[in-house]
Amino acid sequence: MTKEAAVAYGTVVGLEIHVQLLTVSKMFCGCAVSFGASPNTRICPVCLGLPGSLPVLNRRAVELGLRTALALECRVHPRSQFHRKNYFYPDIPKGYQISQYEYADHAPLATDGHLDISVDGQRRRIRIRRVHLEEDTGRLVHSPDQHGGSLIDYNRSGVPLMEIVTHPDLRAPAEAREFLTALRRLLQFAEVSTGRMEEGTLRCDANVSLQRPGGPFGTRTEVKNMNSIRSVERALAFEVERQRAVLARGDSVAQETRHWDERREVTFGSRSKEEAQDYRYFPEPDLVPLVVDDNWLERVGAELPELPAARRDRFITAYGLSVYDADLLTTAPSVAAFFERVVALFPQPKTVANWITGDVTAYLNDIGAGLDQLAVSPGRLASLLRLIEDGTISGRIAKEVLVEMIREDRDPAAIVEARGLTQIRDEAALSEIVEKIVADHPGPAADVRAGKKAAMGFLMGQIMKATGGRANPETATRLLRRRLGA
Amino acid sequence: MTPSGALALRAAYLERSLRPSDVVDAAIDQIARHDPNLHAFLYVGADQARAEAAVWDERYARAGSRETLPSLAGVPVAIKDNMCTRGVPTTCGSRILEGWRPPYDATVVTRLREAGAIIIGKTNLDEFAMGSSTEHSAFGPTRNPWDSSRVPGGSSGGSAAAVAAGFVPLALGSDTGGSVRLPAGFCGIVGLKPTYGRVSRYGLVAFASSLDQIGPFAGDVTDCALMLRAIAGKDPQDSTSADVPVPDYIAAIGEGAGGLRLGVPDEVVGPGVEPVVAEAVRHALDVFAAHGGQVERISLPTIEAALPAYYLIAPAEASSNLARYDGVQYGLRAPSEDLHEMYAETRRQGFGAEVKRRIMLGTYALSAGYYDAYYVKAQRVRTLVARDFEAAFRKVDVVVMPVAPTLPFAIGEKAEDPLQMYLSDIFTIPVNLAGLPGLAVPCGFARGLPIGMQLVGRPFDESTLFRAAYAYEQATPWHRRRPPVAAA
Amino acid sequence: MSQVDDRAPVEHIAHLARLALSEQERERFAEQLGRILEYCARLNELPLADVPPASHVIPITNVLRDDVATPSLDRDEVLAQAPAHQDGFFRVPRVLEGG
């Protein structure tokens, strides 16, 4: 690779994201949206596309779409229509997918919004081109044996999807990662979707091209089949490098669709004949236009849950948290909600925050879980903190109790009781122990008297060992000092 | 001869002079004897019909003379084979759906059952309702009961023939460009295309979604109104069905033609119209005038553009609606190792020439580069047609036209020339484009063959059409004439 | 309009519509479609510039359904109609090309 090629190109990325909406029933019929159901058990004439069937739009899906449009600060169009996207594939039973097309004076649900992200401390505004509604396809599974053909399950056919398309404003794979993280958080807080790529409730395709600074965007490739946010970042990094290498050789980048191979960590081009698809879009005659007036939009706005940025700001002002802590505590709605519920029971927000971002997170990291997977009740954590506050246990012991509390799902007071972990504060009892330790360790005792502070740590350690960690540190320290005249 | 109309049958049932079983048995017998010549039916569910008739026998026996039973209780009906009937074959006149038994009922079927009607069987049609003669059925044509060398009209030829031949008093058809009105006219019976949205399309196998409507065939206007009332009304499963109350169409049907303003478009008097047809319609207007109606001339300037517009819009929607016939879930599948070849072979074998032709035409009209020039342009013409009618209805209450420009033509006469065939719909198509109700009523005979006239009304004003048609019917003998088959 | 007389567009349209046509059909359709489209060309004579396309004839808007789950079809009844099925799935030949 020449030095020139290595320096010249900037990265241009746009994302096309499909979000599965949190509804009870499908987009155009009443079949239940459920996960893991036995194949073809959530089907009806409509989502099977049987002859004579007709679609009827799910109100909640529209509202979740509107909610998202508001959260992304889009312009909601007062009138929008659905269109048919016509193509043949076994997972679309009607031979067309009902979607919303953007064409001439046909506006989709919403356009022209943005989502702000933070990359390396820099705030970047990523523009949203459009938000629209459509139905999901069925699921095609390839039969394991060579002549088995392909198998189709229509449970997913007709599940409500929302498509979000960004402008090609992302300038690095890391930005795409940050954008998806921020979008997922937004969708979760808005209670629009669970937003999990691993579960398929959030899917992402990317358009990637390189650009000479000040020049036009180069030929773009579409990258598909990325199954996690990390995959997206890695796939984009690979694709950018691949395009750089192509250009450095003096070749041109082919406009094509490339698939990400997670195992081999490469993108590969489709072997199939690349023909531009002619989807023959036209307005869906079986559905009537959607009219969204100001009243409806206001109601949606009023019902919008507190969004991440607002929640984070509120944590900073109302609870006096640091930006860092507020950020951590708003990574997911479950974490933010947990924090606030604990604070409601134990109103010392900074302490609560410290414990959650500190020991709780550390424990979860150890078992490979995220904060949003915390499975302990707020009441339990609040109880634990109260036990520390009223001196029943020391902070040190509390760390042990915390782990057991989460792992065994037990009440902290019960753990303390059962394992006899109550703090020893009684001066008489502690004096006896101090006496014994000093007598057992004359050397270190002499060191302390001689002014060597490190020996204090050793002796305190012995006191803790002798008391099973239960000695109240302040009292023990005071008694030890007095005994040694230090 | 037993009473032939639905209303008359019901009266006979109530006064115990007749039982549903007698009527159903007679119908099945008539069909067995005469339908091999006509081929109106593709499927007859004799056992099921007899079982249902027995149930109604019992209910009538217990009912007494008060009318506590639903409006069509014990009345045999036929259903065009493009409406889903659960567990019963629904072929749409096509090989691609041969053997398919839907797992659900169309809304109109459910409503008919709730009204007590007994479904005798499914009737023949042009494949996927695409045609004007019922010659494009994959299972052979239906013949006109008035002259078996001639077509009964299409696409709902089977249903029209079944009623005209006296097999059943009522039948359902579907109308996208004239497919109820034209067969009604060619078979000398009453047929209605309701206002778009008046009757649910859920369960009607779609041809052109923005034009299709299900409508009743009957031997007279009152029966037609009776059947409409049983099936009309909003359906939550059809987004395009209108939330407009269904009037009691029978109540005001006898009000007479006095005070009605009837408009005749200048544009229908043209060289393509057979003189006997023009004459029959002119004579009908005299009858209206003699009974208090006021006949005026109106103009529908865009009406001639309606046909080409239709032949872009309808095939375009059809090409999309018929994409689902691919051999994947049901129906015909041509075996293949490759999926896309399976699609192409299945559709090649399963679809007839007319269907293929319209799919090709429609795909072309929607394809990249042609969408604006063809499809969108046609939709603009559609707006103009609708506006023409709107303007007309500011001056008149009913627009009167022939149903078709010709008498029923011979089987085979137009089948090879699609454009010639399409011209049969020249008076019916504009009404579908505008979404208005159109009622076909017999208005004369020539050379022993029926002539139909068409009454077109304002949206959801079927009542006025029934009223006008009833007044005309009662002043004329046409509705009492029956073809030779029926008289047997 | 005369383009439809050419072979290539008819083949392209047939492929878009997944219709395998015989040589005879291709020729016949090319001719028939050509005539029909020529007939439709008379639409170009009308003043349509300011006329909005009527994609819906009825002035209905906002027909919406409550988000409630309703019973699904019985799988056995549906699969009984399937040309091929396996383990509760519909079965089709493998897609050899990328699709």
Side-chain angles (χ1 to χ4, degrees):
Chain A
M1 202 181 335
T2 67
K3 207 162 107 182
E4 189 208 6
V7 166
Y9 297 103
T11 300
V12 178
V13 172
L15 298 179
E16 202 177 287
I17 297 135
H18 286 91
V19 178
Q20 217 171 80
L21 297 175
L22 269 173
T23 57
V24 166
S25 62
K26 293 187 179 183
M27 187 65 112
F28 298 116
C29 67
C31 288
V33 176
S34 62
F35 302 102
S38 187
N40 293 305
T41 53
R42 302 282 185 270
I43 55 171
C44 77
V46 179
C47 54
L48 283 180
L50 292 185
S53 62
L54 294 172
V56 184
L57 184 58
N58 183 326
R59 180 182 294 110
R60 183 113 186 112
V62 177
E63 295 195 331
L64 295 180
L66 292 174
R67 228 187 237 193
T68 307
L70 289 178
L72 291 172
E73 312 219 35
C74 293
R75 185 173 143 218
V76 173
H77 292 276
R79 193 181 169 95
S80 68
Q81 300 196 69
F82 285 87
H83 292 82
R84 292 192 186 179
K85 179 179 182 181
N86 298 280
Y87 65 100
F88 286 86
Y89 205 62
D91 63 4
I92 58 159
K94 295 188 289 293
Y96 57 86
Q97 180 198 28
I98 301 179
S99 178
Q100 288 186 298
Y101 189 49
E102 195 178 352
Y103 175 79
D105 53 0
H106 295 177
L109 190 72
T111 55
D112 306 310
H114 60 260
L115 181 62
D116 293 339
I117 60 173
S118 187
V119 188
D120 296 332
Q122 293 269 56
R123 273 199 101 77
R124 294 261 293 119
R125 172 154 289 190
I126 308 302
R127 294 170 301 156
I128 305 291
R129 256 198 82 161
R130 68 168 188 271
V131 174
H132 76 249
L133 298 171
E134 60 185 34
E135 55 176 347
D136 209 344
T137 66
R139 210 171 47 96
L140 203 61
V141 174
H142 293 298
S143 177
D145 58 280
Q146 203 191 10
H147 298 293
S150 298
L151 304 174
I152 317 168
D153 171 18
Y154 291 108
N155 284 353
R156 199 183 69 180
S157 167
V159 165
L161 282 188
M162 176 174 60
E163 182 172 319
I164 299 172
V165 179
T166 73
H167 281 271
D169 289 350
L170 298 160
R171 293 286 170 270
E175 291 195 356
R177 181 197 71 222
E178 281 310 306
F179 177 85
L180 287 170
T181 306
L183 181 66
R184 177 180 61 189
R185 186 186 313 203
L186 186 73
L187 295 171
Q188 288 175 347
F189 271 83
E191 292 172 33
V192 160
S193 173
T194 55
R196 294 191 206 286
M197 287 190 75
E198 293 80 354
E199 289 167 21
T201 56
L202 185 80
R203 298 169 221 162
C204 178
D205 296 332
N207 288 306
V208 187
S209 67
L210 297 184
Q211 177 195 29
R212 278 207 140 86
F217 294 165
T219 309
R220 65 170 200 239
T221 60
E222 191 186 11
V223 181
K224 287 172 148 342
N225 199 40
M226 301 165 289
N227 296 327
S228 67
I229 295 182
R230 283 210 327 262
S231 283
V232 173
E233 191 175 8
R234 286 204 296 267
L236 290 176
F238 176 88
E239 181 60 17
V240 163
E241 280 317 303
R242 188 194 70 85
Q243 288 193 13
R244 258 198 249 279
V246 166
L247 294 173
R249 284 201 302 268
D251 287 337
S252 46
V253 173
Q255 183 175 354
E256 58 175 345
T257 299
R258 297 185 68 86
H259 298 270
W260 172 246
D261 184 326
E262 184 70 40
R263 212 175 33 87
R264 293 187 296 141
E265 299 201 346
V266 298
T267 65
F268 62 93
S270 246
R271 267 167 286 115
S272 73
K273 185 173 52 137
E274 276 305 314
E275 47 175 64
Q277 278 274 32
D278 182 357
Y279 293 118
R280 288 157 279 134
Y281 287 99
F282 68 100
E284 170 58 85
D286 290 332
L287 291 172
V288 295
L290 190 61
V291 170
V292 180
D293 63 9
D294 291 335
N295 285 334
W296 193 0
L297 218 46
E298 258 174 54
R299 274 201 319 273
V300 173
E303 284 170 14
L304 195 58
E306 192 179 32
L307 296 179
R311 180 87 59 115
R312 198 193 63 150
D313 292 343
R314 184 165 63 80
F315 278 11
I316 293 169
T317 54
Y319 298 119
L321 299 183
S322 68
V323 171
Y324 177 80
D325 281 348
D327 264 338
L328 273 173
L329 291 172
T330 55
T331 46
S334 57
V335 177
F338 179 78
F339 169 73
E340 291 206 270
R341 281 202 283 267
V342 177
V343 170
L345 297 167
F346 185 81
Q348 290 179 39
K350 291 214 176 120
T351 308
V352 175
N354 286 340
W355 274 87
I356 296 176
T357 62
D359 289 86
V360 171
T361 300
Y363 169 72
L364 290 171
N365 284 342
D366 280 345
I367 62 167
L371 252 183
D372 58 337
Q373 292 161 288
L374 180 60
V376 70
S377 78
R380 290 236 158 106
L381 184 58
S383 293
L384 183 67
L385 298 178
R386 252 180 262 122
L387 289 173
I388 303 171
E389 190 188 40
D390 66 23
T392 309
I393 54 173
S394 67
R396 225 186 99 145
I397 292 290
K399 287 175 197 278
E400 286 176 39
V401 175
L402 176 78
V403 171
E404 188 166 334
M405 180 181 94
I406 301 174
R407 204 172 50 209
E408 312 290 323
D409 191 24
R410 283 180 71 192
D411 176 63
I415 298 172
V416 167
E417 174 89 27
R419 288 178 39 185
L421 298 172
T422 315
Q423 200 168 212
I424 304 173
R425 278 185 302 201
D426 176 59
E427 300 217 4
L430 278 178
S431 293
E432 253 187 65
I433 294 165
V434 166
E435 221 24 78
K436 182 172 185 316
I437 295 299
V438 167
D440 286 348
H441 303 280
D447 284 344
V448 171
R449 283 196 200 97
K452 289 186 189 157
K453 295 286 160 58
M456 268 294 283
F458 173 76
L459 290 172
M460 278 299 294
Q462 290 305 307
I463 291 171
M464 285 301 172
K465 211 166 109 181
T467 60
R470 292 162 53 215
N472 175 270
E474 292 75 30
T475 313
T477 307
R478 186 170 36 86
L479 293 172
L480 183 59
R481 282 216 173 98
R482 203 169 57 186
R483 175 69 185 74
L484 298 175
Chain B
M1 173 153 171
T2 56
S4 53
L7 215 54
L9 280 179
R10 238 182 139 269
Y13 292 156
L14 282 168
E15 68 182 38
R16 319 290 178 79
S17 60
L18 209 52
R19 296 178 317 154
S21 289
D22 303 327
V23 175
V24 167
D25 283 342
I28 292 169
D29 182 59
Q30 282 286 94
I31 293 167
R33 279 202 280 140
H34 299 292
D35 198 45
N37 293 330
L38 291 182
H39 195 229
F41 282 90
L42 291 176
Y43 173 85
V44 175
D47 293 340
Q48 178 65 24
R50 286 196 176 105
E52 286 173 29
V55 170
W56 288 111
D57 285 350
E58 237 245 278
R59 300 240 194 121
Y60 271 108
R62 284 182 290 142
S65 61
R66 283 185 309 117
E67 290 209 12
T68 54
L69 291 163
S71 62
L72 296 175
V75 176
V77 303
I79 311 269
K80 183 179 184 182
D81 206 22
N82 63 350
M83 294 174 221
C84 289
T85 41
R86 185 175 178 179
V88 169
T90 299
T91 66
C92 300
S94 177
R95 293 231 174 272
I96 218 167
L97 279 180
E98 202 172 359
W100 182 57
R101 290 171 189 259
Y104 77 107
D105 276 331
T107 296
V108 290
V109 170
T110 303
R111 290 187 181 177
L112 282 178
R113 286 199 208 282
E114 279 165 9
I118 298 172
I119 297 171
I120 295 292
K122 309 295 289 296
T123 57
N124 200 17
L125 66 159
D126 283 299
E127 190 178 359
F128 285 107
M130 298 183 195
S132 311
S133 64
T134 315
E135 292 174 281
H136 292 297
S137 167
F139 307 112
T142 297
R143 295 167 183 282
N144 192 317
W146 294 91
D147 178 342
S148 59
S149 72
R150 295 180 181 269
V151 301
S155 59
S156 315
S159 279
V163 171
F167 297 153
V168 288
L170 297 174
L172 283 186
S174 70
D175 189 315
T176 306
S179 292
V180 164
R181 291 160 290 157
L182 181 68
F186 277 12
C187 290
I189 56 171
V190 177
L192 172 76
K193 182 201 84 66
T195 311
Y196 185 85
R198 177 75 285 184
V199 177
S200 168
R201 291 184 298 118
Y202 186 75
L204 169 68
V205 178
F207 160 11
S209 316
S210 73
L211 298 162
D212 295 342
Q213 267 294 280
I214 294 173
F217 287 104
D220 60 43
V221 175
T222 314
D223 269 6
C224 186
L226 192 66
M227 197 180 207
L228 179 67
R229 184 155 159 83
I231 60 174
K234 172 141 177 79
D235 180 12
Q237 296 189 75
D238 175 359
S239 301
T240 60
S241 79
D243 197 358
V244 171
V246 181
D248 179 356
Y249 297 114
I250 313 284
I253 208 169
E255 266 178 23
L260 279 181
R261 297 165 303 164
L262 303 121
V264 187
D266 288 334
E267 293 78 10
V268 308
V269 183
V273 185
E274 272 198 55
V276 289
V277 171
E279 176 60 32
V281 175
R282 246 196 312 275
H283 196 255
L285 292 165
D286 291 340
V287 173
F288 275 119
H291 283 80
Q294 199 182 311
V295 180
E296 302 179 26
R297 282 174 57 179
I298 56 165
S299 176
L300 299 172
T302 327
I303 201 173
E304 268 169 37
L307 204 103
Y310 172 86
Y311 277 102
L312 290 172
I313 296 170
E317 292 181 7
S319 70
S320 177
N321 285 326
L322 269 63
R324 71 194 67 202
Y325 304 106
D326 54 15
V328 170
Q329 288 183 46
Y330 46 80
L332 179 75
R333 178 192 286 196
S336 174
E337 293 283 298
D338 169 63
L339 180 79
H340 288 286
E341 190 190 72
M342 178 191 97
Y343 285 164
E345 259 310 291
T346 297
R347 292 158 70 79
R348 185 184 77 73
Q349 291 175 24
F351 287 144
E354 183 60 34
V355 167
K356 285 181 189 168
R357 190 165 24 243
R358 297 206 195 190
I359 290 175
M360 294 284 288
L361 189 53
T363 305
Y364 193 81
L366 290 174
S367 64
Y370 296 106
Y371 175 69
D372 285 317
Y374 290 126
Y375 184 76
V376 177
K377 191 163 293 179
Q379 292 284 35
R380 294 190 206 273
V381 171
R382 186 173 187 173
T383 302
L384 289 183
V385 171
R387 284 182 187 170
D388 275 1
F389 275 105
E390 259 174 78
F393 284 120
R394 285 197 275 275
K395 292 175 58 183
V396 299
D397 306 306
V398 178
V399 171
V400 182
M401 296 190 278
V403 167
T406 67
L407 290 178
F409 44 89
I411 291 176
E413 186 183 321
K414 304 199 186 199
E416 298 308 307
D417 187 347
L419 212 46
Q420 268 307 299
M421 185 73 84
Y422 297 166
L423 290 170
S424 308
D425 296 329
I426 201 153
F427 300 124
T428 48
I429 274 172
V431 183
N432 297 84
L433 286 182
L436 301 171
L439 181 63
V441 176
C443 69
F445 283 79
R447 310 198 287 274
L449 298 169
I451 300 169
M453 87 171 142
Q454 189 188 185
L455 306 179
V456 182
R458 296 185 180 91
F460 302 103
D461 194 16
E462 284 82 358
S463 295
T464 299
L465 299 183
F466 288 137
R467 184 185 137 198
Y470 183 79
Y472 173 78
E473 177 187 81
Q474 293 302 301
T476 54
W478 318 123
H479 64 292
R480 284 189 289 273
R481 273 176 73 161
R482 283 276 165 269
V485 157
Chain C
M1 243 65 66
S2 61
Q3 289 145 317
V4 190
D5 294 325
D6 293 345
R7 201 60 54 81
V10 172
E11 264 180 44
H12 172 63
I13 298 295
H15 176 65
L16 277 182
R18 295 298 185 274
L19 286 175
L21 300 178
S22 65
E23 178 70 28
Q24 204 189 18
E25 278 173 314
R26 248 178 270 142
E27 273 177 36
R28 197 157 25 103
F29 284 151
E31 191 261 330
Q32 285 171 343
L33 293 186
R35 274 198 299 131
I36 295 169
L37 288 168
E38 235 176 87
Y39 176 70
C40 292
R42 62 185 63 192
L43 295 182
N44 294 327
E45 294 156 26
L46 295 165
L48 296 172
D50 297 319
V51 182
S55 46
H56 295 91
V57 268
I58 36 162
I60 303 178
T61 58
N62 289 4
V63 175
L64 301 165
R65 226 183 72 238
D66 287 339
D67 184 30
V68 167
T70 55
S72 289
L73 285 177
D74 174 52
R75 178 169 78 192
D76 291 336
E77 190 178 354
V78 174
L79 287 179
Q81 302 290 317
H85 65 97
Q86 177 186 316
D87 302 330
F89 294 89
F90 290 89
R91 202 177 70 223
V92 294
R94 205 172 267 263
V95 181
L96 289 185
E97 293 183 283

